[in-house]
Amino acid sequence: MSVTIALDAMGGDHGPDVVVPAALSVLKENQDLKLILVGDQEILTGVLQQQGADVGPRLQIRHTSQVVAMDELPSVALRTKKDSSMRVAINLVQEGKASACVSAGNTGALMATSRFVLKTLTGIDRPAIITALPTMNGHTHMLDLGANVDSSADALFQFAVMGSVLVQAVDNNPAPKIGLLNIGEEEIKGNERVKEAARLLAQSDINYVGYVEGDDIYKGTVDVVVCDGFVGNVALKTSEGVAKMITHFMKQGFARNPFAKLAALIAMPVLKALKHKIDPRRYNGASLVGLNGIVIKSHGSADVFAFANAIKEAVLEVDKSVPARINQQLDTLLTKQQVG
Amino acid sequence: MSVTIALDAMGGDHGPDVVVPAALSVLKENQDLKLILVGDQEILTGVLQQQGADVGPRLQIRHTSQVVAMDELPSVALRTKKDSSMRVAINLVQEGKASACVSAGNTGALMATSRFVLKTLTGIDRPAIITALPTMNGHTHMLDLGANVDSSADALFQFAVMGSVLVQAVDNNPAPKIGLLNIGEEEIKGNERVKEAARLLAQSDINYVGYVEGDDIYKGTVDVVVCDGFVGNVALKTSEGVAKMITHFMKQGFARNPFAKLAALIAMPVLKALKHKIDPRRYNGASLVGLNGIVIKSHGSADVFAFANAIKEAVLEVDKSVPARINQQLDTLLTKQQVG
């Protein structure tokens, strides 16, 4: 069956220059896919021409006159940018004209607009942001990554449910191991919200394995790491920082003198394999879970390879009917929670 | 002038086997230093003999009969381990018989006992844990790393004061740049406590430069990163996790086949320099700031090189009179804050 995905073609640091080639590359790989480029018709037509491509039955343009700026306040975007590429891409999902949308634009605006247009699933207070991350033995998923600060125990429980169902679906993992991010230093560990969430999870049908600490994320101790959005966002950005620093020192070291440059050449295959393993572009495409619809957030600075991966994530979630599955499980789990 | 430091010789994963050789190595380097090994006399004498060393005017043993276990509840340790190596090492600071103490033991117990025995400085509600971390262009300091969860705006402000004064002292930096750790995703950024702390800092005499995000830690954007202890602990452990994963993949890659092994040999000088740059052992020795006295926490798994660095951190803080300086600045800054 053919799947249609709407792309916010103007979003992100590079806009159509990245979105259009990424769209063309994914269309080439996946013959059942249809894409709608949402954005300025003239600009998009120009970029398509540069790429030696054109619209057709599998690639349409939906013209819009506005763009949400990367630093625009979400509330302002929501109120004043009703014909933005971001808003219209989300509208297409709401209208059933697309099964998912992908945007590299302003995260806050994407979250606020998605929530306003698509609404959250019954039982979910606010959507969360989830992404896959590399680990020593494969990958894990982590949420929330910044949509919610000061999350309550109930919110953390909802994140766990959504993470569990998403991983069941996309990884064909029948009982994902769920860990609650905590610290080991306090008297009886962590803060009250985390402790209460642990109690809720222990009583639920979720495969909750207990507390995990920061270093467990990359050990691959669990399949889903659940945390407040402030904490998750700091952990994610900190990880990027460490990886960049190490890469920086390696580049510096291998350029220090002719001998080091020669060593770099010889070590190249190993260094390339390492780069591939931890390449954040491979994991590009975070999901806004908890909505009546699929919205994928690409990193703002994504290149063509990275944005193409975000589109593929959207296709995968459509194939696996992620929101419908979460909805189903929420019914079961939240009812049980209320009865219990 | 000679400085005396008390060492919790039984603490940490390796106890005397690490503490004693580290003590001997630092004593050799620093002729003005005196150390007191606090712990079981018989065991310590045995380890000294193994090392071909003995007690003398610069190295004493203070016998204690108890040890605080690594997983012991802080409240239990405080109540029942009054003759533990940790407690007595802290007592020696309180009694003026040592100018600082160093322990690789249970962080929670060390924090609770230090606070009970030494008391906090006037104006400080709870001590915080601060450590140096490597950055692309040198190093930065970060606090709190796990002593306080759900820190209030006032607590974050106090962390900033303590961090600023400590870095002034140990780095000879007259006006350390202070950043408040935050996330960029929310409508008006971050949570209420962080926003309120930003207002307090902006009005103060501290060189507050604004919000920083997780990746700024390792960019070296600021000299002191201020955050809640839950967030800081997760960031620190996550960083360790990323570094370990990258190291793991590199080792794996360079062992894959004979060619890779050869490449590893050739690249060895560069890889060693990299390892040195990000070696956490170089940064071992976190300070419990905000106390009437100097208490340094070594990583529990520290080896001799790492524990020796923690002792050196203690000596440096004694030389620079860190608690007295913090006390002085607190008077000025907190008075101003109350007036303003």
Side-chain angles (χ1 to χ4, degrees):
Chain A
M1 206 192 75
S2 121
V3 165
T4 304
I5 312 269
L7 308 180
D8 168 7
M10 312 305 281
D13 301 343
H14 311 295
D17 291 336
V18 156
V19 176
V20 172
L24 294 172
S25 112
V26 178
L27 282 175
K28 206 174 285 176
E29 280 178 40
N30 184 340
Q31 298 297 328
D32 292 329
L33 184 63
K34 292 181 184 170
L35 296 176
I36 306 172
L37 297 169
V38 184
D40 185 288
Q41 176 125 28
E42 202 178 321
I43 295 176
L44 292 175
T45 309
V47 179
L48 275 174
Q49 274 173 357
Q50 279 169 27
Q51 299 283 326
D54 204 349
V55 294
R58 293 178 52 222
L59 183 65
Q60 302 168 45
I61 293 175
R62 168 69 168 79
H63 177 71
T64 53
S65 59
Q66 292 178 305
V67 174
V68 174
M70 289 306 266
D71 56 356
E72 198 157 346
L73 280 181
S75 54
V76 173
L78 194 56
R79 212 171 48 239
T80 66
K81 296 288 176 75
K82 291 184 183 164
D83 195 40
S84 67
S85 55
M86 179 189 283
R87 173 67 170 266
V88 172
I90 299 168
N91 287 345
L92 290 172
V93 177
Q94 196 272 325
E95 294 157 6
K97 291 177 185 157
S99 302
C101 71
V102 183
S103 174
N106 182 328
T107 309
L110 185 67
M111 179 60 78
T113 309
S114 300
R115 202 178 156 198
F116 178 78
V117 172
L118 297 172
K119 313 297 179 208
T120 53
L121 296 168
T122 310
I124 296 293
D125 301 321
R126 283 174 59 92
I129 304 176
I130 183 167
T131 193
L133 292 168
T135 68
M136 287 201 195
N137 49 22
H139 69 266
T140 187
H141 280 78
M142 183 160 166
L143 81 165
D144 173 44
L145 298 174
N148 306 274
V149 299
D150 295 330
S151 306
S152 65
D154 279 339
L156 292 170
F157 179 79
Q158 291 170 15
F159 299 166
V161 172
M162 296 191 286
S164 179
V165 179
L166 182 124
V167 170
Q168 279 174 34
V170 299
D171 287 346
N172 295 317
N173 178 343
K177 283 187 283 182
I178 311 294
L180 202 49
L181 192 60
N182 201 350
I183 66 172
E185 306 297 355
E186 278 295 299
E187 173 79 305
I188 313 166
K189 283 191 163 198
N191 63 31
E192 284 310 317
R193 299 185 296 277
V194 170
K195 283 180 230 171
E196 175 59 22
R199 279 189 286 272
L200 295 175
L201 285 166
Q203 288 161 17
S204 77
D205 284 341
I206 287 175
N207 184 14
Y208 172 64
V209 299
Y211 294 136
V212 293
E213 296 194 39
D215 49 341
D216 287 304
I217 302 169
Y218 297 96
K219 277 185 197 159
T221 310
V222 292
D223 300 309
V224 181
V225 177
V226 173
C227 60
D228 167 60
F230 192 102
V231 175
N233 188 280
V234 167
L236 187 70
K237 296 252 171 81
T238 301
S239 303
E240 285 174 19
V242 174
K244 272 185 197 159
M245 179 178 68
I246 294 177
T247 311
H248 168 80
F249 285 145
M250 275 175 71
K251 277 189 186 155
Q252 208 178 47
F254 279 119
R256 197 172 297 278
N257 56 48
F259 179 81
K261 283 179 190 163
L262 181 67
L265 276 179
I266 294 167
M268 195 58 79
V270 176
L271 298 179
K272 273 201 170 157
L274 171 67
K275 201 181 160 190
H276 174 75
K277 280 215 167 178
I278 61 169
D279 188 351
R281 300 179 309 157
R282 288 174 65 210
Y283 296 91
N284 188 43
S287 310
L288 273 51
V289 284
L291 295 164
N292 277 304
I294 298 169
V295 179
I296 303 294
K297 166 73 176 87
S298 159
H299 204 291
S301 67
D303 64 7
V304 173
F305 173 72
F307 197 86
N309 281 331
I311 301 174
K312 290 178 198 170
E313 176 68 27
V315 175
L316 180 63
E317 293 195 17
V318 173
D319 277 349
K320 303 287 188 174
S321 317
V322 169
R325 284 207 202 192
I326 293 180
N327 207 12
Q328 231 169 23
Q329 294 253 3
L330 272 177
D331 267 1
T332 320
L333 284 164
L334 295 177
T335 312
K336 202 186 157 193
Q337 194 197 346
Q338 277 150 14
V339 172
Chain B
M1 207 194 74
S2 122
V3 166
T4 304
I5 312 269
L7 307 180
D8 168 7
M10 313 304 281
D13 301 344
H14 311 296
D17 291 336
V18 155
V19 176
V20 172
L24 294 172
S25 111
V26 179
L27 282 176
K28 207 176 284 177
E29 279 180 39
N30 183 339
Q31 298 298 327
D32 292 329
L33 185 64
K34 291 180 183 171
L35 295 176
I36 305 173
L37 296 169
V38 185
D40 185 286
Q41 174 125 30
E42 201 179 322
I43 295 177
L44 292 175
T45 310
V47 179
L48 275 174
Q49 275 172 357
Q50 279 170 26
Q51 298 283 326
D54 204 347
V55 293
R58 293 179 51 221
L59 182 65
Q60 301 167 46
I61 293 176
R62 168 70 169 80
H63 177 72
T64 53
S65 60
Q66 292 179 308
V67 175
V68 174
M70 289 306 268
D71 56 355
E72 199 158 345
L73 279 181
S75 54
V76 173
L78 194 56
R79 210 169 51 238
T80 66
K81 295 288 176 74
K82 290 185 183 162
D83 195 42
S84 67
S85 55
M86 179 189 284
R87 173 68 170 268
V88 172
I90 299 168
N91 286 346
L92 289 172
V93 177
Q94 196 272 324
E95 295 157 6
K97 291 176 184 156
S99 302
C101 72
V102 183
S103 174
N106 180 327
T107 309
L110 185 67
M111 179 60 78
T113 310
S114 300
R115 201 179 156 200
F116 178 78
V117 172
L118 298 173
K119 315 296 179 207
T120 53
L121 296 168
T122 310
I124 297 294
D125 300 322
R126 282 174 60 93
I129 303 176
I130 182 167
T131 194
L133 291 168
T135 69
M136 287 199 193
N137 49 22
H139 68 267
T140 187
H141 280 79
M142 183 160 165
L143 82 168
D144 174 42
L145 298 174
N148 306 274
V149 299
D150 295 330
S151 305
S152 65
D154 279 338
L156 293 169
F157 179 78
Q158 291 170 17
F159 298 166
V161 172
M162 297 191 286
S164 179
V165 180
L166 183 125
V167 169
Q168 278 175 35
V170 300
D171 286 346
N172 296 317
N173 177 343
K177 284 187 282 183
I178 311 294
L180 202 51
L181 192 60
N182 202 350
I183 66 172
E185 307 296 355
E186 279 294 300
E187 173 79 309
I188 313 166
K189 283 193 163 197
N191 63 31
E192 285 310 318
R193 298 184 297 278
V194 170
K195 284 181 232 169
E196 175 60 20
R199 280 189 286 272
L200 294 176
L201 284 167
Q203 290 161 14
S204 76
D205 284 341
I206 287 175
N207 184 14
Y208 172 64
V209 300
Y211 293 136
V212 293
E213 295 194 39
D215 50 341
D216 287 304
I217 302 169
Y218 297 97
K219 276 186 199 159
T221 310
V222 292
D223 300 308
V224 181
V225 177
V226 172
C227 61
D228 168 59
F230 191 103
V231 175
N233 189 279
V234 167
L236 187 71
K237 295 254 171 79
T238 301
S239 302
E240 285 174 19
V242 174
K244 272 185 197 160
M245 179 179 68
I246 295 177
T247 311
H248 168 80
F249 285 146
M250 276 175 73
K251 278 188 184 156
Q252 209 177 47
F254 278 119
R256 197 172 297 278
N257 56 47
F259 179 82
K261 283 180 193 166
L262 181 67
L265 276 179
I266 294 167
M268 195 58 78
V270 176
L271 298 178
K272 273 200 173 159
L274 170 68
K275 201 180 160 191
H276 175 75
K277 281 215 169 179
I278 60 168
D279 188 352
R281 299 180 309 156
R282 288 174 65 209
Y283 296 91
N284 188 43
S287 309
L288 273 51
V289 284
L291 296 164
N292 277 304
I294 298 168
V295 178
I296 303 294
K297 167 72 175 89
S298 159
H299 204 290
S301 68
D303 64 7
V304 174
F305 173 72
F307 197 86
N309 282 330
I311 301 175
K312 290 177 197 169
E313 176 68 28
V315 175
L316 180 63
E317 294 195 17
V318 174
D319 278 349
K320 303 286 188 176
S321 315
V322 169
R325 285 206 202 191
I326 292 180
N327 207 12
Q328 231 169 24
Q329 295 252 3
L330 273 178
D331 267 2
T332 321
L333 284 164
L334 294 177
T335 312
K336 200 184 160 194
Q337 192 197 345
Q338 277 151 14
V339 172

